[in-house]
Structure formats: structure tokens, C-alpha cells
Amino acid sequence: MRFKNFDIPAFLQEYWQKKPLLIRSPWDAWSNPLEPNELAGLADEDHVESRLVTQRNQRWELEQGPFPEGRFGKLERIPWTLLVQGVDHHVPSVAALLEPFRFVPNWRVDDVMVSYAVDGGGVGPHFDHYDVFLLQGLGRRRWELGELCDETTELLPHDDLRLLADFRAVEEWILEPGDMLYVPPRVAHRGVAIGDDCMTYSIGFRAPSRAELLTNWAESVSTDLSDGDRYADPDLAEQRNPGEISSSAIRSLQAMISETMLDRSAFERWFGQYSTMPKDPDIDWRPEETISSEVVLQCLAESIPLVRNPASRFSFIREQTTSLLLFIDGRCYPCRDEVTAFAEQICASVQFTFDAQSSLSIIELIVELVNQGSLAFLDQEE
Ligand code: SIN
Ligand code: CO
């Protein structure tokens, strides 16, 4: 799937993280990548995260999956919607939907959530903390957009759903298959299916909260610190009032934190690993038998493409022109010289072929990545 009419630089400059945008069928040709019954099949699996939202006489209910076959047939004629998270990790044709969105860095990509709704179904008015492209796959949906929300926006009392108490639409559109609506973080929105068989693909992004970053980075930093690394005051001067915490003590105490927390190279290593932790470790591509470098060389000689596990995350941080830190599935691989170009290639494309003349270091890296299930040769894919 490729964009035909979508000006990416103009979008980034004017809309990304700033304001919503309706994009009418930007594709070469649109074809819905997943059938409703395939989605229902996924919702029946234990390791897939799914939810069912129903509305009965103005009462909203949320049920967590898995849902056995036949569950949806028993829902009478009430509006309902099924939502399945991380469908890109399970279905290659849905993973392919992410490719046109690679103008956003890998570490910002979350997943593709797919919803199926009957007439009138939806999740109610709400806001999300993340950017999302709402792509209409099948059927039609009315999208209404409201105000920008924040922590003070009033919500309906509900244990599981964060629905807005007072939603007023300021814009609305009906999306047809192939149409797409970009919604920036915190913009109120409501999507209601018009007619049955309404499927929407949410291309979702993520952004760490300051609290999440601070907590996790502090935890990581502190594991390497010794108990003997403590505040010291060999220059202690007699105080007039023993109750005062002096400004020099505060300065030294705060320096203990900032010196440690502001270590840029330690932060790079940590963040690369943290942000590439796999979301779905159940999608295990490790080969039954460990692969050797001879087998890797042979596959490369036969030009068998390498594919990335769609549940794995690939990123790098450049160090110098010829070196970088490659991060995959929470691990860090320092790369230099010819391995650098290889690392850039696997971060840039989900499938590629590689020259069999590759250096030993590249072969060793491929062996490791295949054996840990982050990469696979196309015909060996699980
Ligand atoms: C949906 O697909 O119905 C919900 C998507 C969203 O509002 O974020
Ligand atoms: Co939403």
C-alpha cells in the first residue's frame, strides 16, 4: 500500500501534533487487508488483547477478551464494537499498513489496532494521549471532533471507560473505505459506525510521559550505584542553627542526582534498550534448531530475503559517521564500519536481501538476530 496523494513534509509542518486532518483516499488503490471473520478469529486467541464495547439503553459496558466463536452472534441488535490491539504483530497484510507511515521514527510507532462495529457501534466520545491515523477499512463511519482536552476535562463516572461527560462536536465527516483522519493527542473524538461491517484501522503512535521516563531511567541508573556512594561533607562548617539545611548541602545533594541522571551516553544506551522492548514477546520467531553461520551464508547466497519479526522493534543511535548503537528487542549491539550500513538497512526496511559476500561480523550478527527471533529468512518464518 502506497500513498499517491499525501504531502508528507507539508503534513509534518502543518498538522503533526498540531491539528487534525481529513485525508480522502490518499492511496494508489485501497483494499481492505483483513476480513471481519479473521479479526473475530484473533479475538478468540489468548495471547491477543481484545475488548468488546456495548451500549444498552445509554449504558456503556466493556468486556475484555478472548471471545469465543459465536459470542458476537448473541449480541442481539444492540450497538457493539470489537477492538483488537497489535493486529500488525499477527497479520502481515496489516503490518504492511505501517509502511507508508515510516516518516515517523520506529520508536514512536505503537501498533495497529483494528475495530469492527455494527450499525451505531463505537467506543464513545473520548480523547487519547497519542497521535493516531484512523483509517477506514470497510464500511462507513461518522467521525466527530471536539475540543482539546486535558487532565481537568470532566469524564463520565465509569470504572473502565474514559468517556467525556460533555462532548460537543466542532467538525464532522463521514469516512468511506480508504479515507483517513489524523487526530493529534488530546483532541476529543467520537466515531460511530454507519451501517454494519464497519472496520477501522488505528495506526497508533506512542510518546513516553515525563513520569514514565523519570521513574524508569532513575530505576535503571540506581541499579549500578553502590551503597557506599553517599553524600559527604568533609568541608562542613559550624552552623548557627543546626536546624538549617544549608544551600551548599542542597547544591551537593542535587548535584548527586544531576551528575548521574544527565549522563548522556548512559541515557542513550538505556533509552535505546527501553524503547525497543518487545510489546508482544509471545510472538516468538526463534528457530526450533539454532541456526549456524554456514546456514546463514547459504541462505544469503540463495538470495533468500530476511524479514523482521513484526513484533520486534528496531532502532539505532548514531555515534560517529562509521559507528552506531543498534537496538533490537531491548538489546544493544554496538556496530562499526561495514556493520553500520547493515544496521541502518535493517532499521529502514522490514524485508531485504543481503550480499552473501558480507563480512564475518555481519554474518555473526545475523546468526544472533535469527536465533533470538528478531529476524528470519523468509521461508523459515513461523
Ligand atoms: C475505533 O476504532 O472505534 C476507536 C478508535 C479511536 O477512537 O481511537
Ligand atoms: Co481514540
Side-chain angles (χ1 to χ4, degrees), residues 51 81-83 113-117 121-124 126-128 132 134-136 141 143 183 189-192 198-202:
R51 292 166 291 160
T81 181
L82 167 72
L83 304 128
M113 180 189 84
V114 186
S115 70
Y116 173 89
V123 299
H126 66 281
F127 72 95
D128 302 301
V132 65
L134 299 159
L135 168 52
Q136 192 60 26
R141 185 184 281 275
W143 280 106
V183 184
H189 52 283
R190 168 166 61 192
V192 179
C198 169
M199 282 178 88
T200 304
Y201 296 78
S202 295

Side-chain angles (χ1 to χ4, degrees), residues 122-248:
V123 299
H126 66 281
F127 72 95
D128 302 301
H129 286 291
Y130 309 106
D131 308 83
V132 65
F133 286 92
L134 299 159
L135 168 52
Q136 192 60 26
L138 191 68
R140 300 199 303 157
R141 185 184 281 275
R142 171 179 288 107
W143 280 106
E144 295 167 287
L145 296 184
E147 306 286 337
L148 199 59
C149 304
D150 60 27
E151 263 62 50
T152 64
T153 306
E154 206 187 325
L155 302 180
L156 287 179
H158 197 291
D159 290 343
D160 311 306
L161 291 166
R162 293 174 60 254
L163 299 178
L164 299 175
D166 180 24
F167 174 75
R168 255 166 296 175
V170 291
E171 272 176 301
E172 72 163 70
W173 297 283
I174 292 172
L175 270 71
E176 308 275 344
D179 291 347
M180 199 161 81
L181 178 64
Y182 164 70
V183 184
R186 298 189 306 282
V187 171
H189 52 283
R190 168 166 61 192
V192 179
I194 303 179
D196 292 340
D197 277 346
C198 169
M199 282 178 88
T200 304
Y201 296 78
S202 295
I203 317 287
F205 298 88
R206 60 191 182 139
S209 71
R210 196 184 297 254
E212 172 198 342
L213 271 183
L214 266 175
T215 322
N216 289 285
W217 171 222
E219 192 185 314
S220 158
V221 162
S222 43
T223 50
D224 297 333
L225 299 176
S226 86
D227 206 35
D229 182 357
R230 272 172 194 272
Y231 176 75
D233 48 7
D235 52 355
L236 181 69
E238 189 181 359
Q239 288 193 188
R240 262 197 301 173
N241 185 335
E244 180 176 3
I245 303 172
S246 69
S247 64
S248 70

Side-chain angles (χ1 to χ4, degrees), residues 21-35:
L21 178 66
L22 171 73
I23 309 143
R24 289 277 180 211
S25 197
W27 314 97
D28 269 351
W30 173 251
S31 82
N32 182 41
L34 187 73
E35 292 303 318

